[in-house]
Amino acid sequence: MKELMQALRDKAMQAIFEADDVEKLEELRIKYLGKKGEMTAILRQMGKLSPEERPVMGQLANQVRGEIEGLLEERRKIVTEAMLEKKLQREAIDVTLPGRKPQLGHKHPMYNVLDQIKDIFIGMGFEIVDGPEVEREEYNFTKLNIDEGHPSREWTDTFYFTPDSKILLRTQTSPMQIHAMETRPLPIRIIAPGRVYRKDEVDATHSPMFHQIEGMVIDKGVTMADLKATLNLVVEKIYGKGTVTRFRPHHFPFTEPSCELDIQCHKCGGKGCSTCKGEGWIEVLGAGMVHPKVLSGCGIDPDVYSGWAFGMGLERLAMGEYKITDLRLIFENDVRFLEQF
Ligand code: PHE
């Protein structure tokens, strides 16, 4: 029995040394010292011993129990500390690591182009003005000398809010000419960028919403020569010095005479390429001398004052600048597209 008890001690000690977590140690305690454990099993055989041997055996049992308990306690401390240490290491925060920078967005490519144009006009003494996208027909059409019956006034072309066609989404930024003339002191030098709306189906070159930049100068003695000189300068700033332009006669109800401005293709020098679709020329804007009827309608005497105006599509300009071939990309806000600029 003595040998059995010593063997139990050796086995238990060995197992306790090898245990490396608290649960395992508890299992071992139950296995060796528990009520149904191995020590109890040995002590059950005490009955076989002589009365002199029993207290000796009892003493030995107490000693072994004490040793095992002591070792369990020691081991429990070591294992608990090691586990805590591991946990701390796992959850450690290195405060010296550099922080993660939040990703910053950037300006939309079309607004880069708009900013460039604003800078050019500000440099020439123009003011940037803003106006309503929801407009009265009077301002979008009538005061601009666009008569009843003009095709652009049709329900099929224009978004109207009311059945009497009085309120609409502006189809052009030209109503800003009227607002400027009615509210600003003369002389006037403004550009007015903004959204415009037309009933167009979406495709690679059309969208029911797009952007225009309106420009206007009203002063004494302003002529077509001023229009040409100013717009030539703007074109050179956008497309580079020496860019060739041509002013083609055109018709707008609110300017007389009217023209469209083309630039000779800056990619092929006029030979014809994919950028200019083989034409050699790229249409940039519509312009003209503000119609005397429009001036007098705003209370400005056309015998004293004259002026010029232009309207330019912003998307088309941005598409040319960044070689974007599909208008939809500009409005879809797909970051994979936008990130490239
Ligand atoms: N509003 C005209 C358009 O949308 C452009 C334009 C503006 C023409 C100013 C002449 C003067 O086509």
Side-chain angles (χ1 to χ4, degrees):
M1 247 181 103
K2 209 171 149 193
E3 286 77 45
L4 276 176
M5 196 58 92
Q6 271 155 359
L8 175 123
R9 179 181 59 193
D10 294 347
K11 216 165 64 174
M13 296 280 195
Q14 183 65 31
I16 292 167
F17 268 123
E18 282 165 11
D20 55 9
D21 66 58
V22 180
E23 286 80 33
K24 181 80 193 161
L25 288 171
E26 179 59 13
E27 267 171 39
L28 292 175
R29 191 190 62 78
I30 293 166
K31 182 172 183 225
Y32 295 112
L33 305 181
K35 264 188 208 146
K36 293 174 188 162
E38 291 184 20
M39 166 103 51
T40 313
I42 296 170
L43 292 178
R44 266 207 202 100
Q45 297 168 34
M46 285 269 264
K48 290 182 196 159
L49 297 177
S50 63
E52 299 84 55
E53 283 173 316
R54 273 179 214 162
V56 180
M57 195 56 212
Q59 218 178 4
L60 178 65
N62 281 339
Q63 189 198 325
V64 170
R65 177 185 293 277
E67 280 173 28
I68 292 177
E69 276 175 347
L71 189 66
L72 274 170
E73 192 46 44
E74 227 172 83
R75 190 75 193 140
R76 195 174 286 129
K77 267 191 209 145
I78 292 168
V79 163
T80 309
E81 258 169 46
M83 275 165 71
L84 185 68
E85 186 61 30
K86 247 194 209 160
K87 192 172 152 153
L88 283 176
Q89 260 173 26
R90 206 169 44 231
E91 293 172 4
I93 295 168
D94 183 350
V95 292
T96 66
L97 276 176
R100 268 185 214 125
K101 206 167 153 195
Q103 235 193 333
L104 273 186
H106 62 75
K107 215 174 275 163
H108 190 284
M110 192 180 70
Y111 282 87
N112 282 335
V113 174
L114 178 57
D115 282 352
Q116 186 194 349
I117 289 169
K118 281 181 179 172
D119 280 349
I120 294 170
F121 279 96
I122 288 169
M124 297 190 296
F126 284 63
E127 275 180 77
I128 320 268
V129 299
D130 200 12
E133 290 168 31
V134 175
E135 191 53 276
R136 278 170 280 177
E137 61 153 1
E138 204 188 341
Y139 284 79
N140 195 79
F141 295 124
T142 316
K143 283 173 176 263
L144 285 163
N145 196 32
I146 302 172
D147 289 333
E148 306 266 347
H150 190 279
S152 70
R153 295 182 76 141
E154 293 290 329
W155 271 80
T156 48
D157 287 6
T158 299
F159 292 104
Y160 289 99
F161 287 94
T162 50
D164 61 5
S165 308
K166 294 259 179 267
I167 312 287
L168 49 81
L169 283 173
R170 66 179 179 190
T171 63
Q172 50 185 351
T173 44
S174 296
M176 290 307 293
Q177 293 183 31
I178 309 297
H179 289 299
M181 286 189 277
E182 286 186 348
T183 57
R184 299 187 149 253
L186 295 162
I188 294 168
R189 265 186 221 93
I190 54 137
I191 63 164
R195 295 186 186 91
V196 302
Y197 302 84
R198 293 181 193 175
K199 281 192 181 170
D200 284 326
E201 297 283 344
V202 177
D203 65 25
T205 52
H206 294 86
S207 159
M209 185 281 288
F210 57 101
H211 295 72
Q212 286 188 334
I213 305 169
E214 196 77 9
M216 187 175 71
V217 172
I218 309 280
D219 202 350
K220 287 178 183 156
V222 175
T223 70
M224 192 89 183
D226 298 303
L227 179 159
K228 286 186 74 173
T230 311
L231 292 180
N232 274 334
L233 207 79
V234 171
V235 161
E236 284 206 331
K237 296 232 178 183
I238 300 174
Y239 293 100
K241 256 202 155 13
T243 304
V244 180
T245 57
R246 82 177 173 194
F247 290 82
R248 249 182 316 105
H250 200 74
H251 171 75
F252 298 106
F254 37 93
T255 47
E256 182 59 34
S258 303
C259 62
E260 278 190 330
L261 167 59
D262 299 338
I263 57 160
Q264 195 165 60
C265 182
H266 52 297
K267 289 278 133 60
C268 64
K271 286 192 215 74
C273 68
S274 63
T275 303
C276 60
K277 297 193 189 78
E279 297 282 326
W281 295 89
I282 300 168
E283 186 195 310
V284 176
L285 53 81
M289 299 304 293
V290 179
H291 198 293
K293 266 175 87 173
V294 174
L295 287 171
S296 53
C298 296
I300 296 172
D301 185 350
D303 290 329
V304 181
Y305 284 94
S306 55
W308 57 267
F310 73 88
M312 171 158 77
L314 183 54
E315 283 80 3
R316 192 158 1 130
L317 209 66
M319 286 168 78
E321 181 122 344
Y322 292 115
K323 295 205 182 74
I324 300 165
T325 50
D326 194 319
L327 174 65
R328 286 167 287 204
L329 289 167
I330 293 191
F331 301 120
E332 273 168 359
N333 284 338
D334 186 332
V335 283
R336 290 169 301 180
F337 167 73
L338 295 172
E339 268 169 0
Q340 302 173 66
F341 303 98

